Amino acid sequence: EPEVTQTPSHQVTQMGQEVILRCVPISNHLYFYWYRQILGQKVEFLVSFYNNEISEKSEIFDDQFSVERPDGSNFTLKIRSTKLEDSAMYFCASSASGSGYEQYFGPGTRLTVT
Amino acid sequence: EDKVVQSPLSLVVHEGDTVTLNCSYEVTNFRSLLWYKQEKKAPTFLFMLTSSGIEKKSGRLSSILDKKELFSILNITATQTGDSAIYLCAVEGGTSYGKLTFGQGTILTVHP
């Protein structure tokens, strides 16, 4: 069964460093998303991406964040200068369409900023 | 602001019990409500509901949506220890397509 994959599963970085989280969405899906979940809190929407551009972003997704689809399979989230409060589980999701279709989530990358 | 509230926050039952999990929402331009099961990491998709009154079923799990009263329930019959997880409700709506707003989840623990 097709699934969303994410690498790495766990990333430890120092404050101020740049990190890139990688995702491979399900191959025939067209819409891609990043969500995050701070420990003990709700899953929060960060950004949606379609047709090589951002469709929507939340207020969390400030200038420190960027997304890219560098090739036909990968979808990346970059955090330019990490802060302690960026420590969270980051989930990538994909769906066949932007509305009315279920989103499938990857296993997540746990980001720890020290 | 879109809002999704789940209750109860946690539930402890014994194998064989039936449980009902609740999700209420306030969202403009509602399009769909989704239920996910979160065990160790990734939320795994259970159901998507778009129409009122139509029950979706998968084995021992079922779910229904009431768009007039703005809530959904997830039922699990004959619970098993493998049903222990966090159950998440999420709603798609607002001005953007695909953005999900999640509730805080219900932690279900099933004891043998």
Side-chain angles (χ1 to χ4, degrees):
Chain A
E1 189 174 318
E3 57 182 20
V4 177
T5 59
Q6 290 185 243
T7 54
S9 55
H10 190 194
Q11 172 102 42
V12 181
T13 190
Q14 288 191 324
M15 203 164 49
Q17 295 297 305
E18 175 183 286
V19 295
I20 297 176
L21 311 183
R22 291 184 166 80
C23 168
V24 179
I26 293 172
S27 64
N28 62 343
H29 283 185
L30 300 176
Y31 287 77
F32 315 115
Y33 310 87
W34 284 100
Y35 292 83
R36 79 170 186 193
Q37 187 175 32
I38 295 171
L39 191 64
Q41 296 187 24
K42 293 183 184 187
V43 176
E44 300 173 288
F45 169 81
L46 290 177
V47 66
S48 59
F49 190 87
Y50 168 70
N51 202 25
N52 279 320
E53 58 184 36
I54 290 173
S55 305
E56 168 108 11
K57 57 184 182 178
S58 71
E59 55 274 10
I60 304 167
F61 194 89
D62 61 22
D63 292 344
Q64 294 299 317
F65 290 88
S66 62
V67 288
E68 196 178 35
R69 189 150 160 86
D71 53 45
S73 57
N74 290 285
F75 178 50
T76 62
L77 174 69
K78 184 195 289 187
I79 309 174
R80 285 191 188 81
S81 177
T82 49
K83 307 184 190 80
L84 293 175
E85 54 266 35
D86 294 328
S87 295
M89 181 72 91
Y90 288 81
F91 293 110
C92 173
S94 69
S95 66
S97 181
S99 180
Y101 286 79
E102 54 269 28
Q103 293 181 25
Y104 291 92
F105 283 73
T109 293
R110 176 158 297 286
L111 177 65
T112 303
V113 182
T114 61
Chain B
E1 187 182 324
D2 298 342
K3 198 170 166 187
V4 178
V5 177
Q6 293 185 243
S7 63
L9 292 181
S10 66
L11 196 50
V12 180
V13 300
H14 287 95
E15 270 192 321
D17 289 349
T18 292
V19 297
T20 298
L21 311 182
N22 303 292
C23 175
S24 64
Y25 62 90
E26 290 173 29
V27 62
T28 53
N29 300 320
F30 171 89
R31 281 187 283 281
S32 62
L33 184 145
L34 296 91
W35 284 97
Y36 287 87
K37 178 182 182 183
Q38 186 176 26
E39 293 177 270
K40 297 221 167 106
K41 286 189 178 178
T44 52
F45 172 77
L46 295 174
F47 298 112
M48 184 172 74
L49 303 144
T50 55
S51 302
S52 268
I54 298 173
E55 187 183 52
K56 294 246 175 145
K57 267 185 89 88
S58 176
R60 296 176 294 102
L61 277 66
S62 64
S63 183
I64 198 158
L65 173 68
D66 185 329
K67 286 167 75 173
K68 187 178 173 190
E69 299 298 328
L70 308 182
F71 78 92
S72 173
I73 59 172
L74 175 69
N75 278 318
I76 309 175
T77 59
T79 51
Q80 301 170 357
T81 54
D83 295 327
S84 296
I86 301 172
Y87 289 84
L88 300 174
C89 174
V91 172
E92 188 210 341
T95 55
S96 54
Y97 289 89
K99 172 188 169 185
L100 295 180
T101 300
F102 280 83
Q104 70 274 51
T106 294
I107 303 171
L108 175 65
T109 305
V110 182
H111 287 311

